[in-house]
Amino acid sequence: MSRAEGKVALVTGAASGIGKACAERLARDGFLVIGCDLRSDLSGIVSLDVRYEVEWQSVIAGIDRRYGRLDVLVNSAGVSLEGDTIEHCTPETWSTTFETNLTGPFLGMKHAIPLMRKRGEGVILNIGSILANVAGGEAAAYSASKGALSQLTKSVALDLARKSPGIRCNAILPGYAATPLLERWPATTHIQRTPLGRLCRPEEVASLVVYLCGNDAAAVTGSAFPVDGGYTAQ
Ligand SMILES: NC(=O)c1ccc[n+]([C@@H]2O[C@H](COP(=O)([O-])OP(=O)(O)OC[C@H]3O[C@@H](n4cnc5c(N)ncnc54)[C@H](O)[C@@H]3O)[C@@H](O)[C@H]2O)c1
């Protein structure tokens, strides 16, 4: 029997890229995975627009009714939109970026924690970005939203450490990874900027997710881990 047997994980943004890789890896490791996405046209994907509280309430209530537990929440849904420089970023681009990348994880944690608290255990992983730590001139709203997500992660971790020490909260900060989100830029630019000389693979982010979900990481909370091919060491 795997150590994850019977455990339930919810992954947002599970239709593509890093969220998809995390959902597949957690399922392979024995978790019962509820993969959610805006794109609910795909089989096995549960419809959830992370920007809306009522949708979160409905998905979490469904998990509570059906399984009575939630062990892992991976907030991976995110957007990086065109025209995200300070002079071109429209209020709509700004709002959509913040609502998806920051309000989404906020709502997810707000509604997942009470269900995790039923068993006194849980793991929350927020997929941030290296652009939380180093800025991207071509990603104004995106960098700001990911910077805020890192701080939100620490604040939640500290609150949980006092009130529910069995629930941990960490951020993973991917570098440039080969997913559809990156397709609007030429890959060569990102490869040249990355010391390992290649893009990261979504599966490499998923490997860290699995480690942070396990008991080997029981003392790890309030931290942010780059998976970036050395990018932020520069
Ligand atoms: N790819 C990279 O280089 C990179 C680098 C750093 C951080 N990230 C972060 O990793 C996460 C995953 O990105 P990815 O590269 O896998 O992108 P992706 O575009 O492949 O996947 C993102 C998924 O999120 C979903 N989504 C978008 N808005 C949503 C909403 N409102 N509600 C529910 N689902 C929604 C999309 O439908 C898509 O399936 C994001 O948070 C992103 O910011 C990616």
Side-chain angles (χ1 to χ4, degrees):
M1 181 165 142
S2 98
R3 279 181 295 173
E5 201 82 29
K7 290 192 174 178
V8 177
L10 190 169
V11 180
T12 72
S16 176
I18 291 169
K20 185 171 183 225
C22 292
E24 287 173 353
R25 175 66 198 268
L26 287 166
R28 233 181 24 251
D29 282 23
F31 286 85
L32 198 154
V33 178
I34 293 107
C36 300
D37 205 283
L38 203 55
R39 293 183 52 205
S40 55
D41 51 318
L42 304 168
S43 84
I45 294 288
V46 173
S47 174
L48 169 64
D49 187 329
V50 298
R51 296 171 294 177
Y52 301 115
E53 185 159 34
V54 60
E55 297 200 16
W56 273 108
Q57 286 168 317
S58 156
V59 167
I60 297 284
I63 294 173
D64 192 10
R65 269 196 310 275
R66 182 141 188 213
Y67 306 108
R69 66 189 286 171
L70 181 62
D71 301 279
V72 171
L73 169 66
V74 181
N75 284 308
S76 185
V79 290
S80 170
L81 301 174
E82 297 274 0
D84 188 12
T85 61
I86 187 60
E87 287 175 275
H88 293 104
C89 182
T90 63
E92 291 73 28
T93 294
W94 182 267
S95 304
T96 304
T97 304
F98 268 76
E99 284 167 15
T100 312
N101 296 359
L102 186 61
T103 306
F106 149 63
L107 292 172
M109 292 191 283
K110 176 179 171 183
H111 292 289
I113 287 168
L115 183 48
M116 290 177 170
R117 199 172 270 133
K118 276 189 171 183
R119 298 178 62 85
E121 287 178 3
V123 175
I124 298 166
L125 295 168
N126 292 321
I127 307 299
S129 168
I130 51 167
L131 294 187
N133 290 348
V134 292
E138 64 287 354
Y142 182 83
S143 301
S145 72
K146 294 296 187 177
L149 181 59
S150 279
Q151 284 301 103
L152 176 63
T153 301
K154 289 187 213 169
S155 173
V156 170
L158 293 180
D159 190 41
L160 288 169
R162 279 190 300 267
K163 296 180 186 156
S164 303
I167 309 177
R168 300 181 286 105
C169 180
N170 291 290
I172 295 178
L173 313 180
Y176 296 108
T179 75
L181 182 129
L182 209 64
E183 275 168 6
R184 67 191 172 87
W185 287 286
T188 44
T189 318
H190 298 114
I191 290 169
Q192 279 160 8
R193 288 185 195 164
T194 302
L196 281 187
R198 66 168 175 88
L199 298 179
C200 301
R201 290 190 292 274
E203 294 75 19
E204 293 171 320
V205 177
S207 300
L208 183 55
V209 163
V210 165
Y211 165 71
L212 289 170
C213 285
N215 285 340
D216 286 345
V220 183
T221 196
S223 295
F225 299 91
V227 180
D228 67 356
Y231 192 98
T232 47
Q234 297 175 106

